[in-house]
Amino acid sequence: MGEGDKKKVKMQPMPINESVRLCGAKARQNNYQPCRQPAMRGKKRCRLHGGKSTGPVTQEGKDLAAVANLKHGFYTKGMNAEKKYMRIMMRWRHENGDIRD
């Protein structure tokens, strides 16, 4: 048998069982089509899109995840309260003549 004798087999998609929940994560490359992999048991996503992830379990892990996701802190609760206080103070000073137009 030569190399040219090999048959090319066309891959057929697996038949989808209607009772199986599909992952549905949107792909960026495939015209935003949903993922067709079955979701993991008890999860909403397949193993490729985070179905295996349990997320942080311990308090230390949760704290590390919160710090890792913090980009600049401009919209945290503390900063929002400080900005609100500054707006109130500026308005008060403007109304009382401390700031000139």
Side-chain angles (χ1 to χ4, degrees):
M1 279 178 92
E3 202 172 305
D5 295 338
K6 293 180 181 177
K7 288 185 178 180
K8 291 190 177 185
V9 178
K10 188 174 181 183
M11 297 294 291
Q12 295 291 328
M14 273 182 51
I16 298 174
N17 186 349
E18 297 298 326
S19 65
V20 174
R21 182 185 187 130
L22 297 181
C23 172
K26 302 287 187 219
R28 285 186 252 170
Q29 294 179 342
N30 192 15
N31 200 17
Y32 296 96
Q33 295 295 316
C35 175
R36 296 183 302 256
Q37 292 286 327
M40 295 191 68
R41 187 175 295 133
K43 304 285 183 170
K44 293 182 180 180
R45 297 287 181 226
C46 70
R47 62 186 174 84
L48 301 173
H49 293 111
K52 276 191 160 183
S53 174
T54 61
V57 179
T58 64
Q59 188 59 41
E60 181 184 6
K62 291 176 184 179
D63 293 341
L64 286 173
V67 170
N69 291 327
L70 181 67
K71 290 182 175 40
H72 47 69
F74 193 65
Y75 297 102
T76 59
K77 288 181 183 179
M79 279 300 291
N80 286 341
E82 188 173 335
K83 288 185 288 186
K84 184 177 181 179
Y85 174 76
M86 292 302 291
R87 281 193 303 271
I88 292 170
M89 290 303 296
M90 294 296 286
R91 188 177 305 124
W92 183 84
R93 289 183 68 194
H94 184 72
E95 289 170 356
N96 291 321
D98 288 350
I99 296 179
R100 298 181 190 115
D101 288 327

